[in-house]
Amino acid sequence: MLASDEINPISYSYPAIMNQWSEPSKKIFETGDVKSFEKSIAFRELVQILNKIVLAVQDIKVPPGVLDPAIVTRDITVLDSDNSATSVQEAHAYQENVGVMLRILHDLEQTIDDTPPVKGPTRFGNIAFRTWHEKVEHVLNSLTTLRPPAGLNIDEFLIEARYYLANSFGSKIRIDYGTGHELSYLAFVGALMRYDILKSPTGEELLVLFSKYYDLVRRLILVYNLEPAGSHGVWGLDDHFHLIYILGASQFCNDATAPSVRSILSRDVLNGYKTSNLYVNAIAFIFKLKSGPFNEHSPILNDIHVSVFLWTKVRQGLLKMYMVEVLGKLPVIQHFWFGDKLYPWADSTSMKQLPVNYSEDAKSANTTIDKGNSAGTSAPWAKPGIHQNTTYTRR
């Protein structure tokens, strides 16, 4: 668990539980399974990669030309992708597989352009999103062009890893997007890092991969009117995201030129940092989507900027909240599935397989899950009392 004031870059090393790669499957069905998950190798792997990425992006800026300002600017309609950002790989000396992933994310954006929303009122999301999702599998075939290190068969690796990327774009059944999908992208990037397909990526390389991902999913939200994955209401940090705020807060840590925590909501700071910092970029997206007093529609974020004075404390509080409200909540984590190599459902101490409470009721519920797009979240915090669970220490 991330409990200290600073991030602990812990490292775990486990022998392979199984010799064969396997398609991920559902293991979490009820509240008690969350406790088993917290004992699992999968949990430890996710915590480890979260630590590594958050530390890697500390004091690093998103380079110019990566984040599309139109996506987070009010009164601008986002229909077509900004093709000027597709030359990011050519403009920077990134490793080859970063370029492969940027091309795949760009192709997915192009698929949005080729799949216009259905005209007419759509109260609960535009059904054209389902058509877009059907095209995703074809685009993801390009994952086989990733260059693996010696000894790794990329086709075998993708048996498990492809699942997490495919599930990071929202649910085509519910036409929604939330923190479970965001977690799935973290798991995919973590898999690339663990097997040296992304070999010791720099903080800038990681920020570029996450920035292009966030631009893509925000376009999906805007074009197809995706619902928040569950009705968080004002008791959530954000309708759709959480990890983006951790990454952006870490970008400001140890940066002597960073704006103060209390100034983030000002227009000058929003305009000055929305294309270089993911935290500010996420706040700007809220201002694009919502009107009215910020403290009324986003009270938890507002509380941060009223009561916290150090970016290290913002990062610490957001990490603690992530452990509770994303990795620790059944409605979110029940949609995270487990393979045998990347994220095993096995005890991190004994290495034995954890129990699966596969009851008849669970079997019935499982038949309704869209295996290809099952990382959607329900409302893990749509209730009063969130302030009791997450405390930001005044400094």
Side-chain angles (χ1 to χ4, degrees):
M1 301 291 285
L2 301 176
S4 63
D5 283 353
E6 291 301 318
I7 300 173
N8 177 22
I10 52 179
S11 179
Y12 301 96
S13 179
Y14 301 105
I17 302 301
M18 299 287 287
N19 292 324
Q20 301 296 321
W21 297 88
S22 65
E23 291 189 14
S25 59
K26 184 175 175 65
K27 305 293 186 183
I28 298 177
F29 294 94
E30 55 189 52
T31 303
D33 297 331
V34 177
K35 294 299 182 183
S36 293
F37 168 64
E38 291 173 351
K39 300 175 183 177
S40 71
I41 295 176
F43 178 87
R44 300 290 185 176
E45 292 289 348
L46 289 169
V47 170
Q48 179 183 0
I49 196 59
L50 176 63
N51 288 342
K52 286 184 176 180
I53 292 175
V54 169
L55 284 175
V57 303
Q58 181 173 284
D59 195 16
I60 305 293
K61 293 178 175 62
V62 178
V66 175
L67 286 165
D68 182 359
I71 292 176
V72 295
T73 302
R74 185 176 288 180
D75 300 327
I76 294 181
T77 301
V78 179
L79 293 177
D80 296 325
S81 60
D82 180 7
N83 292 325
S84 65
T86 64
S87 60
V88 173
Q89 171 67 11
E90 288 73 18
H92 301 272
Y94 299 145
Q95 57 185 281
E96 180 181 357
N97 285 334
V98 170
V100 173
M101 287 308 307
L102 290 176
R103 288 191 291 274
I104 290 173
L105 292 172
H106 174 255
D107 289 346
L108 289 167
E109 281 223 43
Q110 288 293 106
T111 305
I112 299 176
D113 300 339
D114 298 336
T115 315
V118 174
K119 295 182 179 180
T122 53
R123 181 180 177 187
F124 297 111
N126 196 288
I127 59 174
F129 180 60
R130 292 172 178 165
T131 304
W132 179 85
H133 245 297
E134 290 169 0
K135 299 177 181 180
V136 167
E137 288 300 315
H138 175 73
V139 175
L140 294 192
N141 288 336
S142 298
L143 287 169
T144 58
T145 63
L146 287 167
R147 187 182 295 274
L152 177 65
N153 183 304
I154 192 65
D155 293 321
E156 292 180 350
F157 170 82
L158 290 174
I159 290 173
E160 292 189 26
R162 178 176 174 143
Y163 167 85
Y164 297 104
L165 182 60
N167 280 272
S168 68
F169 306 120
S171 168
K172 75 175 182 181
I173 291 179
R174 295 176 294 277
I175 314 183
D176 65 7
Y177 176 91
T179 54
H181 305 104
E182 190 184 33
L183 171 64
S184 197
Y185 189 72
L186 174 70
F188 175 74
V189 173
L192 297 181
M193 293 172 64
R194 179 180 172 188
Y195 279 85
D196 282 340
I197 295 172
L198 290 179
K199 188 171 180 61
S200 301
T202 65
E204 184 173 304
E205 287 176 327
L206 289 168
L207 282 174
V208 167
L209 289 175
F210 276 94
S211 294
K212 299 309 293 182
Y213 165 74
Y214 283 122
D215 268 4
L216 169 62
V217 296
R218 262 101 60 104
R219 283 200 67 219
L220 292 172
I221 290 168
L222 292 169
V223 172
Y224 300 117
N225 191 29
L226 301 188
E227 292 286 310
S231 180
H232 301 64
V234 299
W235 301 111
L237 180 73
D238 182 289
D239 283 344
H240 302 97
F241 307 103
H242 191 131
L243 177 62
I244 190 172
Y245 292 96
I246 300 173
L247 299 177
S250 194
Q251 285 181 261
F252 280 144
C253 290
N254 292 355
D255 180 358
T257 67
S260 68
V261 178
R262 305 193 79 172
S263 69
I264 288 299
L265 302 181
S266 69
R267 180 175 299 180
D268 288 345
V269 172
L270 288 171
N271 290 334
Y273 289 87
K274 66 184 179 183
T275 59
S276 63
N277 180 271
L278 289 175
Y279 190 104
V280 179
N281 185 263
I283 295 287
F285 189 61
I286 292 177
F287 277 108
K288 181 182 180 77
L289 292 180
K290 298 182 178 183
S291 58
F294 190 84
N295 66 308
E296 292 183 5
H297 60 64
S298 303
I300 293 180
L301 285 168
N302 187 74
D303 285 352
I304 293 173
H305 299 288
V306 170
S307 62
V308 187
F309 296 89
L310 297 176
W311 281 111
T312 52
K313 292 299 180 183
V314 175
R315 181 176 66 182
Q316 176 194 356
L318 290 171
L319 281 165
K320 287 182 177 180
M321 187 177 182
Y322 195 79
M323 303 301 289
V324 174
E325 299 297 343
V326 178
L327 296 183
K329 282 291 167 57
L330 175 66
V332 178
I333 208 63
Q334 68 176 333
H335 297 295
F336 191 91
W337 289 15
F338 304 84
D340 286 328
K341 289 218 172 185
L342 293 178
Y343 300 101
W345 183 252
D347 190 284
S348 61
T349 301
S350 69
M351 306 298 171
K352 295 180 180 179
Q353 291 291 310
L354 290 163
V356 178
N357 297 311
Y358 204 54
S359 64
E360 289 301 319
D361 289 342
K363 289 180 182 179
S364 176
N366 195 34
T367 61
T368 65
I369 294 174
D370 173 27
K371 184 176 181 180
N373 305 277
S374 62
T377 65
S378 299
W381 40 56
K383 61 181 182 297
I386 186 66
H387 298 280
Q388 298 173 4
N389 294 331
T390 304
T391 302
Y392 285 91
T393 306
R394 188 181 296 273
R395 290 286 187 273

